[in-house]
Amino acid sequence: MAPHNVRRPFKRAAISDQQKRRELSLLRQAQNRRDAQQQARCLASCILSLQSPVPESEPEAEQPDIELETATEAEQECVAGASSKDLDARRASKLRGPEVRKWFAKQLMLPEWMIDVPDRLSQDWYVLARPSGKRCLVVSSNGTTVSRQRNGSILHNFPSALPAGAKTRDGSASGSGSAQSYCILDCIFHELDQTYYVIDVVCWNGYSLYDCTAEFRFYWLNSKLEEINGASYYHKYRFSAVPVYNCDQNGLYTAYAGVVPYVKDGLLFYNKHAHYETGNTPLVLVWKDDNCSQYVIDTNSKGEIPSQQQVVLELQDNGNLVTSDDPPVVFGMIQQSGLDHSGNLLRFAISDGGLSFSDGKLDQADLNYLGKSNRARAFADSYSKVLFQYRVRHSPLKIDDLLLASINSPDDDQENKPCDMEMAG
């Protein structure tokens, strides 16, 4: 089926500053310098050695009534300056329980939800169909391979065809055999075909790719996975790349409607110039609709879609209710409560007053307190997730909007075709 016949671009009213933050992120990564090799080595060591956190769960009980008031602009500016440094990987081995979950979640590059269509979509972005499954980091080192989920728990411990990922007949590690030989892959484990679909690469055979662009990382990943495909036949779990396309009209439509060997769970968009930055980033985006994902609108603990959108926010010392972003976004303030501890994750429903915006920023949120969030949860919702869920219920960003934006500009001489580094599964 051919892409839609679209004629003119579509412009939405701004409800976020996502485009501005994309530009700032690109500028910031150009200015930052870090020891990427040391960061990769520490992360690999921690994934192999850290204790798995004990899963925690408890029913959500009723809590005392609390009064909410909307945060002022001054309060939001105050919160914006209160960000803290991430914990260094070399200290992570001392963590236990909830702190392990938080640390591991911060080691992944987490996409923001697409609130508005990026500028220069067809020139500066890739698109891929996201596999449904468990997001995890996979490390091969010293003759073994370990996968850990976002909460830090071990998913599998197994031999693989990755460099240093299995023992040879003489008992040494496969690959170079050096202590510097290890890999770190960002994967989604797809249960149905027992396959790790690789969506990004952090390190390959001791070579760190943190500070490499997505364009180079995808090229490197595709070529390296091709080298090990034959050897993977003899192992229980397979590693497969995901087809990556230039986000022009044909590439976008192919990722959206094309056939893939896995169950889709939305689309991922990568800025071609983005480095692998841990935590939430506006340079990688996720988008979903009912045609490419089974999970578009959030459900409650019973698997049902609640009549009102629910959000999870973190309670700070000063009573502010904030998102998980850095810097966080203030949704309101608790005036009185029996909730003494900052860091508590609280669940709210967005009532009939909804969300209102001014100049691309949140102005007011009509929140109704429901209770504490489940203890197994590590973070509050991100601002982009709250807005995406709100938009899905009221005015969703549709595939037609994306196709309109993906039309090449007159000065763009690229052909509408899949990216040269398409990664075949």
Side-chain angles (χ1 to χ4, degrees):
M1 183 175 180
H4 295 46
N5 182 19
V6 289
R7 299 180 179 179
R8 60 186 179 84
F10 178 83
K11 189 71 174 177
R12 284 176 171 265
I15 65 169
S16 82
D17 58 350
Q18 200 170 50
Q19 177 59 36
K20 180 180 179 181
R21 288 185 291 104
R22 281 191 283 267
E23 295 168 358
L24 290 175
S25 293
L26 287 170
L27 179 62
R28 187 168 55 248
Q29 76 175 19
Q31 296 171 342
N32 286 345
R33 293 293 182 267
R34 60 181 168 182
D35 188 346
Q37 202 70 36
Q38 176 68 7
Q39 182 176 358
R41 190 157 44 245
C42 290
L43 176 57
S45 175
C46 289
I47 289 177
L48 292 171
S49 62
L50 264 178
Q51 292 186 6
S52 294
V54 178
E56 299 177 8
S57 62
E58 63 176 14
E60 296 184 357
E62 293 186 1
Q63 301 295 331
D65 291 339
I66 56 179
E67 298 179 11
L68 301 175
E69 64 180 26
T70 303
T72 64
E73 184 174 347
E75 289 165 344
Q76 293 199 21
E77 291 176 354
C78 179
V79 171
S83 60
S84 60
K85 288 187 177 181
D86 290 340
L87 188 65
D88 189 275
R90 286 164 288 187
R91 296 169 52 198
S93 59
K94 300 178 182 179
L95 299 178
R96 296 294 182 270
E99 294 303 318
V100 175
R101 290 196 295 273
K102 289 183 178 181
W103 185 85
F104 265 100
K106 288 181 179 179
Q107 304 316 305
L108 289 162
M109 182 163 66
L110 304 175
E112 288 194 8
W113 292 77
M114 185 183 286
I115 307 305
D116 53 51
V117 181
D119 293 344
R120 295 176 54 84
L121 186 64
S122 63
Q123 296 98 329
D124 291 345
W125 292 79
Y126 293 129
V127 61
L128 57 95
R130 182 189 185 278
S132 176
K134 298 175 180 177
R135 179 86 179 272
C136 54
L137 283 171
V138 177
V139 169
S140 63
S141 179
N142 198 30
T144 189
T145 306
V146 175
S147 58
R148 284 188 184 264
Q149 300 181 72
R150 281 184 58 180
N151 64 5
S153 63
I154 291 179
L155 181 60
H156 298 125
N157 194 324
F158 59 103
S160 74
L162 298 174
K167 297 287 187 182
T168 61
R169 289 183 178 180
D170 61 4
S172 62
S174 59
S176 69
S178 166
Q180 303 300 318
S181 179
Y182 60 94
C183 293
I184 308 174
L185 303 180
D186 188 343
C187 301
I188 295 174
F189 181 68
H190 191 253
E191 187 77 32
L192 292 177
D193 57 4
Q194 297 286 285
T195 298
Y196 283 93
Y197 286 97
V198 188
I199 59 174
D200 214 326
V201 56
V202 179
C203 181
W204 186 273
N205 208 8
Y207 179 72
S208 173
L209 291 98
Y210 273 111
D211 292 336
C212 298
T213 64
E215 187 171 25
F216 179 80
R217 295 198 311 275
F218 287 159
Y219 164 77
W220 184 279
L221 175 63
N222 190 40
S223 62
K224 296 303 179 182
L225 285 183
E226 285 181 354
E227 294 176 5
I228 68 167
N229 272 346
S232 295
Y233 176 81
Y234 300 100
H235 296 288
K236 179 178 180 180
Y237 301 113
R238 191 167 62 99
F239 289 89
S240 181
V242 176
V244 176
Y245 299 93
N246 282 315
C247 198
D248 52 35
Q249 189 180 358
N250 280 356
L252 174 58
Y253 192 80
T254 301
Y256 176 72
V259 177
V260 288
Y262 51 81
V263 178
K264 292 182 184 179
D265 186 22
L267 300 180
L268 282 174
F269 297 80
Y270 278 77
N271 186 286
K272 295 180 180 180
H273 311 290
H275 296 176
Y276 194 97
E277 294 288 342
T278 57
N280 293 328
T281 174
L283 299 179
V284 182
L285 303 171
V286 60
W287 174 91
K288 300 180 181 182
D289 71 1
D290 289 328
N291 292 322
C292 67
S293 176
Q294 303 175 49
Y295 315 103
V296 180
I297 299 181
D298 282 348
T299 58
N300 57 25
S301 59
K302 299 179 181 179
E304 302 167 343
I305 296 176
S307 58
Q308 293 181 320
Q309 179 184 346
Q310 295 184 8
V311 300
V312 174
L313 301 172
E314 180 180 339
L315 173 63
Q316 294 189 318
D317 285 329
N318 58 4
N320 282 339
L321 296 164
V322 301
T323 64
S324 62
D325 303 272
D326 183 15
V329 176
V330 181
F331 266 64
M333 173 178 279
I334 292 180
Q335 196 75 346
Q336 299 175 0
S337 79
L339 303 168
D340 303 329
H341 309 294
S342 68
N344 270 340
L345 297 181
L346 309 180
R347 185 174 296 276
F348 298 85
I350 298 179
S351 299
D352 295 340
L355 304 177
S356 59
F357 307 91
S358 176
D359 297 327
K361 296 183 178 181
L362 179 68
D363 186 37
Q364 287 187 329
D366 185 8
L367 301 178
N368 178 36
Y369 179 63
L370 299 178
K372 287 186 180 180
S373 178
N374 193 292
R375 286 180 60 191
R377 181 160 183 154
F379 291 104
D381 286 330
S382 67
Y383 182 59
S384 65
K385 179 183 178 181
V386 175
L387 263 61
F388 184 89
Q389 289 291 317
Y390 187 76
R391 170 161 275 182
V392 164
R393 288 171 174 263
H394 298 88
S395 177
L397 188 64
K398 299 180 180 180
I399 186 61
D400 285 347
D401 301 328
L402 301 181
L403 288 167
L404 285 166
S406 68
I407 299 175
N408 289 333
S409 58
D411 60 344
D412 182 17
D413 59 1
Q414 291 183 339
E415 295 181 8
N416 283 336
K417 62 181 180 180
C419 169
D420 290 339
M421 63 192 74
E422 176 183 345
M423 299 186 284

